């Protein structure tokens, strides 16, 4: 028994002020337009580039799911929005009750209080089409051209507990488990300094919704620091895979916009991955994979099914 949420549509951010947030995302991703509306009593802006879709929700402290998040955390990656297949949402409410998940019901959407089960992630079912009241248009050339949302990553305290919850609530059938360990083929740098870094991760996917769950271990890194600062929660957003030459071409422009490399990991001659500073995007940390060879995922021992779970279309 799972929540029949339907198709994943977009990822939600809670921000203090829509106007600078829209400008920042337009500048970095090259988003041409944000459409303004009201969602669950809050001002919101929807925009994207191709299949990459974002919801920016203006935060105010409150007792509701997003209000509690804003009061506790401030700005950041908050929720995943789905479009249910059925017009009758009684089943969704019944399933939520059976799964012991509290629901906030608005005339246009259901918000599920799943942060405690899903490593800080809330779920939203958008019941009716949004009613747009205004728009903002932009004409920036992207500093970091996105391809799609390959996956988002959430820091969790216990990987296996989180896996069980994602399987129970979302119906993800299986996960690719990986161990990150600087003594076992990984090299890592934090703010340019080489560090020891250990973590247990897992990748799961259902339809076009893909996630990575990261349990920090010994050593230092973005996961360890995120957990210490915020507790469990969505930590990164992975929108692009680049060649070394392509990454070199965009790195200086990203740095000039404040998107400096905070963390770098390297797996031999297969690939490197980078986490960029989250401040310019209001708590969204971007992950970039730099593929050093065409068969990078095969050289890491992944099957095609494994790569699909990471978010690749193979």
């Amino acid at each position: 028994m799972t929540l029949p949420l339907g198709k994943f549509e977009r990822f939600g951010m809670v921000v203090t002020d829509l106007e600078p947030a829209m400008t920042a995302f337009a500048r970095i991703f090259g988003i041409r337009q944000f459409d303004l509306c009201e969602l669950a009593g809050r001002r919101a802006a929807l925009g994207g580039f191709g299949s990459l879709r974002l919801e920016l929700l203006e935060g105010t402290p409150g007792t509701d799911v997003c209000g509690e998040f804003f009061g506790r955390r401030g700005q950041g990656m908050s929720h995943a929005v789905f479009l249910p297949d059925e017009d009758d949402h009684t089943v969704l409410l019944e399933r939520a009750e059976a799964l012991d998940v509290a629901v906030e019901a608005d005339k246009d959407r259901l918000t599920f209080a799943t942060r405690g089960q899903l490593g800080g992630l809330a779920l939203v079912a958008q019941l009716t089409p949004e009613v747009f009241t205004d728009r903002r248009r932009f004409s920036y050339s992207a500093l970091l051209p996105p391809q799609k949302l390959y996956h988002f990553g959430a820091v969790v305290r216990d990987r296996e507990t989180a896996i069980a919850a994602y399987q129970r609530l979302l119906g993800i059938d299986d996960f690719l488990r990986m161990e990150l360990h600087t003594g076992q083929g990984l090299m890592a740098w934090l703010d340019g300094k080489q560090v020891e870094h250990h973590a247990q991760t897992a990748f799961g996917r259902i339809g076009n919704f893909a996630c990575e769950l990261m349990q920090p271990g010994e050593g230092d890194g973005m996961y360890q620091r995120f957990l210490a600062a915020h507790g469990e929660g969505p930590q990164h957003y992975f929108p692009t895979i680049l060649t070394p030459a392509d990454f070199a071409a965009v790195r200086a422009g990203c740095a000039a916009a404040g998107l400096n490399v905070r963390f770098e990991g390297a797996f031999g001659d297969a690939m490197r991955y980078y986490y960029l500073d989250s401040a310019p995007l209001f708590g969204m940390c971007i992950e970039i994979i730099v593929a050093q060879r065409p068969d990078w995922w095969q050289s890491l021992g992944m099957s095609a099914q494994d790569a699909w779970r990471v978010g690749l279309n193979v």
Side-chain angles (χ1 to χ4, degrees), residues 186-189 241-242 244 247 251 263-274 287-293 296 300:
L186 171 68
M187 297 182 68
W189 296 263
I241 300 173
L242 300 175
F247 183 54
R251 186 167 183 171
F263 184 89
E264 176 181 357
F267 287 99
D269 67 347
M271 59 86 83
R272 290 177 178 253
Y273 65 101
Y274 298 85
E287 179 183 17
I288 298 171
I289 281 183
V290 175
Q292 295 178 280
R293 47 193 286 181
W296 67 270
L300 292 175

Side-chain angles (χ1 to χ4, degrees), residues 160-188:
E160 297 306 315
T161 299
I163 286 173
Y166 274 78
Q167 290 177 323
R168 182 176 68 257
L169 296 182
L170 290 170
I172 299 176
D173 61 350
D174 202 1
F175 279 77
L176 167 65
R177 291 166 171 81
M178 297 183 69
E179 311 294 320
L180 303 179
H181 198 298
T182 45
Q184 301 173 4
L186 171 68
M187 297 182 68

